[in-house]
Amino acid sequence: MANRGGFSSKLGFIMAAAGSAVGLGNIWGFPYEVGQGGGAAFVVVYLIFCFILCYPVMVTEIAIGRKTQKNAVGAFNDLGYKKWNIVGKMGILSGVLILSFYNVIAGWAFGYIFEMAAGNFGIAEQFGDYIVDIFTVGAYGLAFMATTAFVVSRGVSGGIEKAAKLLMPTLIIMILSLVIYSLTLENSFAGLQFYLVPDFSELTGSVIYNAMGQAFFSLSLGMGALITYGSYVGKNDNIISSAAFITLADVGIALIAGLMIFPLIGFMTDGTMTEVGRGPGLIFVTLPQIFGSIGGTLGAIVGTTFFVLLCFAALTSTVSLLEVPVAYVVDEMSIRRSRAVWLVATLIFITGIPSLVGNGYSEFFTNFIVYVGADKATDFLSFMNHLANDTLLPLGGCLIVFFAAHVWKKHNLDEELSNGAPGYKGSFVQKYLNFAISYLAPTVLGVLFVFTVLSTFFGIKII
Ligand code: PFF
């Protein structure tokens, strides 16, 4: 167990965990989910999930990690509940599945760095052809996975921390500047209205399930990523306030990403907002147009910088996704870290091939599955997304809080949370967390998990 490494400072942990949370989920996933269903109504449900249900899950994951100093599976063993390590194993499976398709999207974004540098803003119209060219985008994906593996192999404080600290603030400044720019464009107001003025008649069951999945995905919850990161946190750090910061940072960045994209869609569609339901390609189609509208060398510089920063945000997330199975393999199977990293990364890259070819190149993976009651087929990448984000993560979150409150027991969790948080005991936050972790979150997440599975895969719509 020697040499597991640890974060060099409190800020190191917060930045790394925020780096894990902030990624493609915020800038690519959030706007596309908002666009696909519900608009502002989605945003409202999403915010409720993040603060009311996900924050308690986050606190619990970090506490379990710090208490045991173990990976997602080892943590349950260490607390003396070996049977429960199935939750950790499920988390590792989710991590592998998520990284397999996440890396494909990251590869697309990586390739865009070169497209923007070459001033090729017309890529927006050729996006369909771009992702079908699987040898090119596959090579970008391979390069991305190799970079992730390289960072992870350097260990926790060497690689993960440094990468996170440097580039996050720059990304925020960049997005904020683009927000200001896109608000000056014509018809931006129609976009703002779609994004910010809720129409609750849009609120359907699937909007709720997607908002739940997106909240878990964006906050990196439900798969033990934060158990793993929590295992590197110092005993005197304040978990309550760190988790609050991470949640706020993540939600804040998703919200400003929306403020950047929707006014732009208003501009591009003359206020009709017809582009919003575009799906996973949304940012790849809209953003080059904003850079194109800036035009010339400046447009190319802004576009290139943007995708460089987006790739760094994605990298701090892929690093945490890879760290989950790697920490498990290193701790439990006593394989050397560097070897474990390359082994696992290769395996995940191969698992991602169906997601890579399922966007038009391979007919089989493009029309991979027709859910019961659905009128059209779902591609492999979206299937992975439904399976991992919308289903496994909320289930994992539900089981983690249930475990902490009723198996490991609340008072043990409370004890761990109060280390480094002097005012915690007796506070309102403690009372709320106790209620949420014991009753609210397990019930709501458990029920919604069942509803999601029935609705998404079997066409049985209860709400
Ligand atoms: N939260 C990351 C994002 O929003 O891009 C994705 C992610 C990272 C999900 C790590 C889950 C995880 F464990």
Side-chain angles (χ1 to χ4, degrees), residues 212-347:
M212 173 174 71
Q214 175 61 23
F216 272 84
F217 178 72
S218 186
L219 291 166
S220 303
L221 293 177
M223 49 163 274
L226 292 183
I227 295 183
T228 309
Y229 270 23
S231 74
Y232 305 114
V233 174
K235 275 288 174 219
N236 298 324
D237 291 346
N238 186 334
I239 294 179
I240 302 292
S241 63
S242 303
F245 174 83
I246 296 162
T247 306
L248 284 170
D250 186 63
V251 170
I253 292 183
L255 289 178
I256 60 169
L259 276 182
M260 165 179 78
I261 302 284
F262 290 105
L264 174 68
I265 301 176
F267 164 69
M268 278 165 36
T269 61
D270 298 323
T272 60
M273 300 303 289
T274 41
E275 292 267 306
V276 290
R278 194 175 254 288
L282 185 67
I283 69 157
F284 293 100
V285 175
T286 52
L287 285 176
Q289 308 204 23
I290 197 173
F291 303 134
S293 82
I294 297 171
T297 315
L298 182 63
I301 293 172
V302 176
T304 310
T305 318
F306 181 87
F307 280 101
V308 167
L309 294 172
L310 179 63
C311 284
F312 270 104
L315 184 65
T316 51
S317 300
T318 52
V319 158
S320 71
L321 282 160
L322 185 58
E323 176 67 22
V324 174
V326 165
Y328 168 66
V329 171
V330 170
D331 285 355
E332 309 293 313
M333 297 177 185
S334 313
I335 298 182
R336 231 180 342 112
R337 188 174 180 91
S338 53
R339 179 171 304 176
V341 168
W342 292 101
L343 213 78
V344 176
T346 308
L347 210 94

Side-chain angles (χ1 to χ4, degrees), residues 6 29 35 74 79 143 173 177 242 263 295 377 397 434:
L79 291 173
I173 295 169
S177 324
S242 303
N434 270 330

Side-chain angles (χ1 to χ4, degrees), residues 366-402:
T366 304
N367 296 311
F368 182 63
I369 185 170
V370 183
Y371 300 145
V372 181
D375 45 11
K376 60 181 189 346
T378 301
D379 64 276
F380 191 85
L381 195 155
S382 304
F383 172 62
M384 283 294 109
N385 193 328
H386 294 151
L387 185 67
N389 304 7
D390 298 354
T391 313
L392 291 177
L393 295 185
L395 175 64
C398 171
L399 293 173
I400 289 169
V401 282
F402 181 88

Side-chain angles (χ1 to χ4, degrees), residues 351-372:
T351 314
I353 290 176
S355 297
L356 175 72
V357 300
N359 302 289
Y361 181 82
S362 149
E363 161 64 26
F364 177 74
F365 288 113
T366 304
N367 296 311
F368 182 63
I369 185 170
V370 183
Y371 300 145
V372 181

